[in-house]
Amino acid sequence: MSEKTERAERRKRKEMAVKILAAQGQDYEDWLDTQHRRVIEEGVPTLDAALNLFIEKQKKGRD
């Protein structure tokens, strides 16, 4: 699928999602913000593990 076709398909999906959410009484931007927050919250354990590894490597480098 070409990039142009993919963009058109994404646009169509977004337009449909906006309509469905509006019919449910939800604002698309509010819904999208909620999705972003969910991804971030679910990603916290991964970030925490990465930071712990980074800190361990820094400590080992000082020894």
Side-chain angles (χ1 to χ4, degrees):
M1 184 178 308
S2 73
E3 186 177 327
K4 186 175 180 180
T5 304
E6 180 62 28
R7 279 194 309 257
E9 290 296 320
R10 286 181 185 204
R11 187 172 39 256
K12 287 179 187 177
R13 287 192 299 266
K14 179 181 176 183
E15 289 170 358
M16 185 58 66
V18 169
K19 288 178 184 179
I20 291 168
L21 289 167
Q24 296 173 343
Q26 294 184 53
D27 178 72
Y28 175 77
E29 292 300 324
D30 291 342
W31 174 84
L32 186 59
D33 183 58
T34 300
Q35 301 309 307
H36 290 162
R37 289 173 188 249
R38 184 175 297 146
V39 168
I40 291 167
E41 289 171 4
E42 291 172 359
V44 167
T46 301
L47 292 172
D48 188 52
L51 286 170
N52 286 334
L53 285 172
F54 178 75
I55 291 167
E56 284 179 31
K57 285 184 178 183
Q58 280 186 323
K59 286 180 182 177
K60 288 179 182 177
R62 291 184 197 149
D63 294 340

